[in-house]
Amino acid sequence: MNVLFKSILCMIVLLLFVLGLLFMLSSFKFQTVLTNLIANRLSATSPVIYESIEGALDLGLGLGEIQNTERVILWVQHNNPGIQSIDIFNINGEVLYSTQKQRLGQAVAPYILKNLITASGHQSQMELAANFLSTFKLLNNYNQRVGGGSIIYLKDDYNRQVIKFNNFLLLRTAIIFIAFAILASIGILAAFRGLRKYLNSIEDSHDKIRDSEAKGQNVGFINTNGLPAVESENALIQMDNFDNRLFTIERNIASATSALDTLDVPESDGSYDENRTEDDVSYGQQTELASHMVRPIIFIMMGTLFLSSLIFAYISFIDFNRFLEPELQKKAQLIALNIDQDLTKAVEVGIPFDQLVGVDEYLDSIATEFNEVTHLEVQNPTGKTLFQSGQIQSPDSNLNSSKQLSVTDRRLPPARDRSKSINYRYPIKIDGHNSGYINVAIDKDFIRSQLDSIIYDNVVILIIAVLVAFQIMTALFLYYVTGPIERLNMLINLQVRGNFSKFIKTRGGDSVGKVARYLSRSAKQLNAHFRDRRDQLKAVSGEGLRVIDQIARRYGLAQTDSPSALIRASASDIRIPLFLFAFAEELQKSFLPLFVRQLYKPNPWLNESVVISLPIVVWLTIVGLAAPFSGQWSKRFGSRNIFLCGLIPSVIGFLGCSMAQTILEFVLWRGATALGYAMITIACQDYLLGKNVAGSRNVNIAIFIGIVITATMCGTAIGGILAARIGYQSTFLIAAGLMIFAGFAGYQMLSSDAGAGIEVTEKKSGGLRGVRMIFGNRRFLVFLFCIAIPTNILMAAYLWYLVPLYLFDLGATTAEIGRTMMVYYLLIIAIGGAVSKKVTTMNGLILLVGSGSLLSGIGLVAFYQWHNFWAVVLSVTSLGLAHAFIKAPQITLSLEICRMEVHKAGHNVVLGSLRVLERFGSIIGLLIGAVMIDSYGYQNATGSVGIGVCAASLIFLLFFFINRNPNPDESSMLP
Amino acid sequence: MIRSKLTFTLIVFLTCGLMPPSVNSEQQDQSFTIYMAVWRGCEDACKGFQDYFREEGLDVNFIVRDANRDKTRLPEFVREARELKVDLVLTWGTSVTLGMIGTLTDSDPVKHITDIPVVFMIVADPVGAGIIESYESSGRINVTGTSNRVPEEVQMKAIRAYRYFKHLGIIYNTNELNSVLNVDKIRKLAKNMRFDLFESSIDMDANGKPIAESIPQKIKELIDRNVTFIYVGSSSFLMRQRDYLTNSAIEQGVPIVSAYEEMARKSNALLAVASRYYSVGKLAGFQAKNILIKKLTPIDLPILSLSRYSYVINMQTARKLKLYPPIKVLRYAEIVHGKSQK
């Protein structure tokens, strides 16, 4: 079956995409970590050389006169396989010493000199195409550069390692992919059983219909031979006959679809909406059925993606460790060698080995310098510990060490747990014989700690991939599976009742399509047939015409454009286009204020914070202003068209944003995107509210909100990761590109006839009048200023504006900022739905909303004094939690408070006015917040806002407690 | 005042035979003449100064005049420098510098050099001696120089790097102002760096001159106070008596640490933290080059000091006292009388 293959294919593509993405991230990270380890090792090698040379310079030797140099660099090269060459050159770049004799006297490459001169410290590391370059300065003792050195480390080994790792990982990824693809396919096949049964039953009914056709019981034929009187009688008889046949057909279909009873049909949830037409009667049942069949498939897909990613993560981690371990070993060896050198020098200078001084302290300082070292030990030839790092000593105890340190002086064992280390042991050879061992213990978890950031990124990508997969799969299923089934059912219902005015356009090859086409064909034939007869009759008899017109009305035949196509738009049509669009739009959330701050140039009129908040302010304003207009436009021109048109300002806006050089330009382009956003979101909303859309309005709006929030969450997190890796401007470009995709999806999936027939209010300026109206409601005002506006302020001023700026100042990357903001949306998605269903009474709602708002304020106040990253995360988390509790109930509560106004002007006006006022309030709040940040700083601004919100919620609770409605019946909410 | 360009071109014409082409990136138009006035012969600093120009490939004619510890010769040097119309004057030590350029306040164009650039070196305390205003700028249009003093705090830290100490003894000469000032400074440091300073000054004879024979007794007094080291900061007298001082200390089993490099290198102090004179000389050469080649005005050049000091350890003393240096310092220390150097 088509649908089956389509879903398996889709699953495979998604799996490939996710695993491919994870593979690329892992490979990239491996290279980065390996490069860092090598650069780190080289940076530990350079000091050996330059300290030796500089020491000789201090003695008064000129750079060209230090005879030891050649020995030193050859020794370093010998002990660091992979070093291609080491050059020491003077201030003019002339090579004085080199591991490659032929380079003596030659000039060192200009880029090496440049790298040296521009380095801020004593040395620097650089990765080039073919090798790693480490350069260091040679400074005399009054800090003048007298020359420099360069170490070139071949990338051959590095490249080999990288290729090996990639191959290994690729192999494992392929195995995971194939395994899970097969498992998923089997699962989908199994899950399709139910659907297949259903489709088979349709096939059966199709066959039955064909049979009845063969037996001459079809409906495609109306016999109207004869003259008027006779004809009318005939016609009546024909009509009865006709009805009989219809009844037969109905029975056939009924018996065919009675196979449905054997399937698990869930109870519909009984919610009823006045928007439903008769046609919808069985809709509820059918979509329940469809989504019931589809749900296991979707879970299989999500589960597959999730599990495969987990296994991938585990495997890649093991591979990481395995492939990076040799590098760690090289580092350990280097450290041991350096210690060996120092010990040897001490002995050469005349200090007996067993009387070495300050070795513990020395080992301590090395262990501190290299993060991966947990422990260092010097042992005597029998393995007994002579000196070790990790001793906690007070300076006074050092007094004792001025006396001879005998071998029997024991110290306490080191603090770090030794079982977590890999130990490397190297012999010390002094004067040719074995004087002992150096033991270097490296932290096992060191590699893991290098990977931390990528693990978080992977987790974020995983969550988002799963959510995106869910959206896509749901949308595809509803579009390709339940959509056609719905339409077929509608058509069947119509025809069973004798309405032949509609047909279905379909190309599906499965039984659903076949039956649909058959029925459509029947309808068309019947209509054509009827028209012919009517024409014939018209010429002959007027009375017959009247009768036949009566037949026509009864059976829906020969309307002006009969049969017309059955339109069945559904909420799922907008899923993919809206999701893609909102996702692209929200990529900027985690870093917009940061980007704007970069563009900021001092301005005499407005202070910095206010200027930075301008893009958000402008965005809110334009969306608020454009929304009512977009509503008008989509009613006039159709939602689909407005959707597509809205892409133009959005795409152009984001392109402009990526190229903006000043704040003014940026604000301009951002305004364009705001216009696009308003147009598209309102178009989608109206699409869902239209007459021709399946489903109850509440469910559809919930779907809409769900899509937007999920897309916001995903976009915010992914935007943060993208910005961290490719930069702000490129992320804007990607947003523009994704929106074009959204355009394609919208073009394909949106039905052009939806969005019409929505209640058009007579009052054009219903907005303003509505606002004035609800302003009169005192309780509403309290609600507005104490709950609704603070909630929006917390979102716009705190979450969108303060959090990115503050976190950035604390040192977080945009990826981390994105993850933090994501938590907020994740909580709303996860918890919001569950909570809003539970609370039903007015008092309950007031309590919920009030305490939720209080909680959000407390969340800010509790942590504002800690000046660190986790304090902000905790605040955002509590904010998310609180808002999850109150966002949906706020709407219900506001409608209830404004019951009278709803009665007068309808839902839309009230909600529209609420939104306008909220937006207005949040704009003011944002500006005030910006000023506060400038004057008091992030922490205090957070604290003040938190306190303000707490105060407002307490006022709200108090007010409603005092004025609470004594009659419990009136406060019940659900119809 | 700096000479005018006209005079320079005159010198070019007067100097026959062009100088050898410079391999340096900085162009030298002509050869220079530098007048070097030293106090006790051309020692390390003087050699360092000359070597600097040699290494830079600059052609310089050095006129070296040794005062041989005799102040009365200095006016003669002033006259000669003027007559020869030298390009730059280098002065060695406080006495020579004071004698040839005077102090900030009493500088006299007749007696002192005020119109030829002067670079001073090996002046212990140029600010204290009134020669310059501050280390940022001398405050005198034709004067700059180098500082060879290791800040006292650096010295204390350096000693602590050898061994952490709580008790430090200091032996000094009340007859010398610099010695007394030095003790003051160390006393102040003692509080911040949390150690106890025990002071012992050399006995004076009837004429107010220090008695060398009192040294062992003074050492003993300090040992009785349980000091880890005995420090010698600034005293020419003790410097002259270095062998007697250090040997006496070794006999009594206590190490001497000094701000004089020679005490550790040539005598028997355990440790010395000092500016190497040779390097200071080179640094003075660097200053001079900036004036001569880059044509910078001396008043704009801050008084430079070294960024790395010498850390000299006398291993023989260390062995005798069984007070070995810790591994850490061996990386940058200069070892004298190490095993392989025997």
Side-chain angles (χ1 to χ4, degrees), chain A residues 297-361:
Chain A
I297 299 177
I298 292 186
F299 279 138
I300 288 174
M301 293 191 174
M302 284 168 62
T304 308
L305 286 174
F306 191 71
L307 276 175
S308 61
S309 306
L310 271 179
I311 294 185
F312 176 88
Y314 177 70
I315 295 218
S316 70
F317 178 65
I318 293 186
D319 277 350
F320 255 85
N321 272 314
R322 185 137 57 96
F323 280 84
L324 289 177
E325 207 248 328
E327 192 52 42
L328 286 183
Q329 201 207 351
K330 285 189 197 154
K331 184 69 171 294
Q333 186 174 27
L334 177 68
I335 294 174
L337 269 173
N338 285 348
I339 297 176
D340 190 331
Q341 279 279 78
D342 289 335
L343 293 176
T344 308
K345 190 173 185 190
V347 170
E348 275 174 4
V349 139
I351 309 175
F353 188 73
D354 55 355
Q355 291 180 41
L356 290 171
V357 179
V359 188
D360 291 329
E361 217 178 34

Side-chain angles (χ1 to χ4, degrees), chain B residues 101-105 107 114 118 120 126-127 130-145 297-303:
Chain B
I101 66 171
T103 64
L104 200 55
T105 45
S107 161
T114 50
V118 173
F120 63 80
V127 176
I131 299 175
I132 58 173
E133 203 172 80
S134 78
Y135 287 101
E136 280 77 46
S137 167
S138 65
R140 302 167 70 160
I141 187 111
N142 68 321
V143 175
T144 186
T297 321
I299 195 174
D300 294 332
L301 297 173
I303 280 70

Side-chain angles (χ1 to χ4, degrees), chain A residues 313-489:
Chain A
Y314 177 70
I315 295 218
S316 70
F317 178 65
I318 293 186
D319 277 350
F320 255 85
N321 272 314
R322 185 137 57 96
F323 280 84
L324 289 177
E325 207 248 328
E327 192 52 42
L328 286 183
Q329 201 207 351
K330 285 189 197 154
K331 184 69 171 294
Q333 186 174 27
L334 177 68
I335 294 174
L337 269 173
N338 285 348
I339 297 176
D340 190 331
Q341 279 279 78
D342 289 335
L343 293 176
T344 308
K345 190 173 185 190
V347 170
E348 275 174 4
V349 139
I351 309 175
F353 188 73
D354 55 355
Q355 291 180 41
L356 290 171
V357 179
V359 188
D360 291 329
E361 217 178 34
Y362 162 78
L363 292 175
D364 256 349
S365 67
I366 296 181
T368 316
E369 191 187 334
F370 299 111
N371 286 335
E372 62 267 48
V373 174
T374 57
H375 184 66
L376 288 167
E377 234 180 63
V378 175
Q379 301 165 344
N380 72 4
T382 65
K384 209 176 192 186
T385 306
L386 295 174
F387 314 102
Q388 55 186 318
S389 67
Q391 311 304 312
I392 304 159
Q393 291 168 334
S394 66
D396 281 351
S397 68
N398 249 328
L399 211 52
N400 298 328
S401 65
S402 66
K403 304 287 179 268
Q404 173 175 342
L405 179 70
S406 80
V407 172
T408 54
D409 271 352
R410 282 280 67 89
R411 308 272 180 173
L412 298 166
R416 298 276 288 271
D417 182 1
R418 298 238 223 146
S419 66
K420 284 215 180 92
S421 316
I422 318 172
N423 287 299
Y424 300 100
R425 211 175 185 222
Y426 300 97
I428 309 172
K429 291 214 182 324
I430 299 183
D431 292 341
H433 59 267
N434 188 5
S435 311
Y437 299 98
I438 299 175
N439 196 46
V440 182
I442 303 270
D443 187 2
K444 264 188 194 160
D445 281 342
F446 179 70
I447 292 182
R448 190 185 57 77
S449 67
Q450 301 288 305
L451 297 178
D452 274 348
S453 86
I454 197 187
I455 287 180
Y456 292 137
D457 280 354
N458 279 2
V459 165
V460 165
I461 289 178
L462 184 60
I463 293 178
I464 289 170
V466 164
L467 284 172
V468 169
F470 176 78
Q471 291 285 342
I472 293 180
M473 288 321 301
T474 313
L476 284 177
F477 261 103
L478 292 176
Y479 192 74
Y480 283 111
V481 176
T482 44
I485 292 179
E486 258 176 57
R487 284 198 286 277
L488 178 61
N489 275 312

Side-chain angles (χ1 to χ4, degrees), chain A residues 198-223:
Chain A
Y198 181 77
L199 294 172
N200 281 341
S201 78
I202 301 244
E203 186 100 37
D204 280 347
S205 75
H206 180 234
D207 292 340
K208 285 223 174 77
I209 292 173
R210 295 269 290 277
D211 287 345
S212 59
E213 187 179 43
K215 293 185 199 142
Q217 286 177 327
N218 68 348
V219 297
F221 181 65
I222 301 178
N223 197 341

Side-chain angles (χ1 to χ4, degrees), chain A residues 279-292:
Chain A
D279 298 334
D280 293 335
V281 163
S282 58
Y283 167 74
Q285 210 185 28
Q286 296 305 339
T287 35
E288 289 297 332
L289 179 70
S291 55
H292 184 78

